[in-house]
Amino acid sequence: MGEFEVHRVRFFGLVPAGVRCLACHPRGPRLALARTDGAVEVYNFAANYFQEKVIPGHESRSVESLCWAVGDRLFGAGLSGDITEYDLSGLSAARGVDGGGGPIWSMVASGTGAQLAIGCEDGSVKIFQVVPGGIQFERNLDRRKGRVLCLSWHPSGTHIVAGSIDFFRVIDVTSGQTVQRVMVNHHVEKAKRECVVWAIAFLSSGTVVSADSFGRVQFWDWEQGTLAESHTVSTSAALSLAVSEKEDSIIVGTSTGATYQLQLLPVTLGGQEKRWVRTKPFQFHSHDVRAVAHSPTALISGGLDAQLVIRPLMEKVQKKGYDAVLRKFTFPHRRLVSCARKARLLLFQFSQYLELWRLGSTEETGKDGEVLSLCRMPEHLVQLKSKGPEHIYCSCVSPCGTWIGYSTASRFHLYRVRCDGDGVSLRKV
């Protein structure tokens, strides 16, 4: 093998965006993921968790919730107050509809995927019908004071549970009225601080599962309004939860970066009575775990540390292979660095600007593995900012270093680069 030099690039200051929400396709092997910068990614389980689609972010579009609807359609909603449908073939936001209730904190699809329910800042819960070409407002449900932070639809489609601060309520979809209101702190003596219900789930048995800011996962009988079980999984907040398809396993994400699994197990061997037991804790994240998902064979978690972690359930994996491997997606799966070999230039891509650097050089020689001192340090030549709210999707510099091109979701931009003794100049083509 011939001799070569390796230049260690330590000046690419990329800060990856954290994972905000996840949505497993209920009828297919795909996972949708939204990041804090508004970007949406789609992973394919059947293709070894390959990242098959990336929809770039937008400055005015935040994504607080994602859900799959009928016809393999993907919808997102956020604090801008709009419900956005994504064009998965064109990799863009296809259309948006105003929710009509201010910032949207939560959104969930019905069991059939034909209806969407959103929880708004003004305390309202609204139902939208999924129709060809978009969505259509159907009705308002009972409105109460306090923002609706989380929603869950009963598998039968007859009731919706909505979580807020200090309480959750169960709403009859047919009448639109609240049929039960439960204070999550009524049994706690001298509760001096508010309890935020961050995540909620409605099981087919009628049990409501809540995760709150006190680090508790609680199981409620919604008809009686009574607490059946309570598990304190963390000393900090429990931020997210997801239930398996068979409703015998729950994954919970916390603000300490830890995730926990609870399983429904028999009290006695061979007995009929079952209880929820915390079985497995995992510490894969360093920051808040704002999103979790439960696939048939794995526990999936996404944190503000930008990591997507897929931990297989070994009791569900039939044979050794790719499905039995712990996966951590810790870096972007897109090319963010472009190299002009002849000109010794590097182009770095950020969400709204590009940086062009000239590599340093050395005149020294040494043995294998030695670090050579530079006679000329790396030089930051230019920063090219993208105009408009759209984030940059891809970029490239020509091998000769005289052309820079980048693209957003709607436009392509090309610049001519000139380097002379006075500096660097850019001319838009």
Side-chain angles (χ1 to χ4, degrees), residues 241-308:
L241 65 83
V243 184
S244 65
E245 185 179 359
K246 295 182 178 180
E247 297 185 350
D248 58 355
S249 175
I250 294 176
I251 177 175
V252 183
T254 65
S255 60
T256 61
T259 56
Y260 300 87
Q261 185 188 13
L262 288 84
Q263 289 181 283
L264 188 61
L265 300 175
V267 176
T268 58
L269 186 63
Q272 297 297 321
E273 183 183 359
K274 294 183 178 181
R275 295 196 64 179
W276 288 96
V277 179
R278 194 182 79 182
T279 56
K280 298 171 185 175
F282 310 107
Q283 185 75 47
F284 295 127
H285 300 275
S286 59
H287 293 70
D288 296 3
V289 181
R290 299 296 300 270
V292 292
H294 205 311
S295 76
T297 59
L299 305 178
I300 306 169
S301 59
L304 292 185
D305 56 3
Q307 290 194 94
L308 174 66

Side-chain angles (χ1 to χ4, degrees), residues 86-403:
Y86 295 100
D87 181 359
L88 297 181
S89 59
L91 301 182
S92 62
R95 59 189 69 87
V97 176
D98 186 7
I104 300 173
W105 289 92
S106 54
M107 179 176 62
V108 64
S110 62
T112 60
Q115 291 175 304
L116 302 179
I118 62 170
C120 304
E121 174 76 18
D122 63 355
S124 63
V125 177
K126 303 175 186 294
I127 304 295
F128 286 80
Q129 190 79 21
V130 179
V131 296
I135 58 174
Q136 182 177 337
F137 175 75
E138 184 175 329
R139 61 183 306 187
N140 273 315
L141 303 184
D142 188 20
R143 175 181 170 184
R144 296 293 175 92
K145 186 178 180 180
R147 64 178 59 143
V148 180
L149 295 172
C150 51
L151 289 171
S152 182
W153 213 307
H154 191 271
S156 65
T158 58
H159 294 82
I160 293 176
V161 60
S164 299
I165 298 176
D166 288 332
F167 70 93
F168 70 83
R169 56 195 174 103
V170 180
I171 307 172
D172 186 289
V173 176
T174 303
S175 66
Q177 299 300 313
T178 298
V179 295
Q180 185 63 272
R181 186 175 185 270
V182 178
M183 300 295 294
V184 294
N185 259 355
H186 71 91
H187 59 287
V188 179
E189 296 181 1
K190 299 179 180 179
K192 297 182 179 180
R193 58 190 177 97
E194 62 184 18
C195 179
V196 181
V197 181
W198 285 116
I200 206 158
F202 210 159
L203 306 185
S204 57
S205 62
T207 301
V208 174
V209 188
S210 64
D212 57 43
S213 57
F214 288 176
R216 302 172 304 188
V217 178
Q218 297 180 309
F219 298 82
W220 304 83
D221 182 341
W222 79 266
E223 292 181 339
Q224 303 297 327
T226 56
L227 179 65
E229 293 184 49
S230 180
H231 299 264
T232 301
V233 298
S234 176
T235 56
S236 58
L239 300 175
S240 53
L241 65 83
V243 184
S244 65
E245 185 179 359
K246 295 182 178 180
E247 297 185 350
D248 58 355
S249 175
I250 294 176
I251 177 175
V252 183
T254 65
S255 60
T256 61
T259 56
Y260 300 87
Q261 185 188 13
L262 288 84
Q263 289 181 283
L264 188 61
L265 300 175
V267 176
T268 58
L269 186 63
Q272 297 297 321
E273 183 183 359
K274 294 183 178 181
R275 295 196 64 179
W276 288 96
V277 179
R278 194 182 79 182
T279 56
K280 298 171 185 175
F282 310 107
Q283 185 75 47
F284 295 127
H285 300 275
S286 59
H287 293 70
D288 296 3
V289 181
R290 299 296 300 270
V292 292
H294 205 311
S295 76
T297 59
L299 305 178
I300 306 169
S301 59
L304 292 185
D305 56 3
Q307 290 194 94
L308 174 66
V309 178
I310 301 173
R311 188 195 184 281
L313 296 171
M314 301 308 296
E315 64 271 17
K316 302 289 185 180
V317 179
Q318 301 297 328
K319 58 183 180 179
K320 292 184 179 180
Y322 287 116
D323 292 337
V325 178
L326 173 68
R327 302 166 186 276
K328 287 186 179 182
F329 298 91
T330 59
F331 55 89
H333 281 204
R334 293 184 293 152
R335 191 181 71 169
L336 301 179
V337 179
S338 179
C339 178
R341 296 181 59 184
K342 296 179 180 179
R344 295 179 60 83
L345 300 178
L346 286 180
L347 182 69
F348 299 140
Q349 176 183 318
F350 297 85
S351 60
Q352 285 200 296
Y353 63 92
L354 305 173
E355 286 187 356
L356 185 65
W357 287 73
R358 178 182 283 120
L359 288 175
S361 59
T362 182
E363 296 177 352
E364 298 184 8
T365 59
K367 299 179 181 179
D368 292 345
E370 287 186 355
V371 179
L372 306 180
S373 59
L374 296 178
C375 63
R376 190 179 69 180
M377 299 300 294
E379 182 182 359
H380 184 196
L381 299 178
V382 68
Q383 183 183 84
L384 177 59
K385 293 184 178 180
S386 173
K387 295 181 180 180
E390 293 181 326
H391 288 184
I392 298 173
Y393 181 72
C394 57
S395 60
C396 189
V397 60
S398 63
C400 60
T402 57
W403 298 94

Side-chain angles (χ1 to χ4, degrees), residues 35 41-44 49-54 332-334:
R35 297 192 178 271
E41 304 168 3
V42 177
Y43 294 82
N44 193 328
Y49 295 94
F50 171 68
Q51 186 191 78
E52 62 177 23
K53 301 178 187 295
V54 176
H333 281 204
R334 293 184 293 152

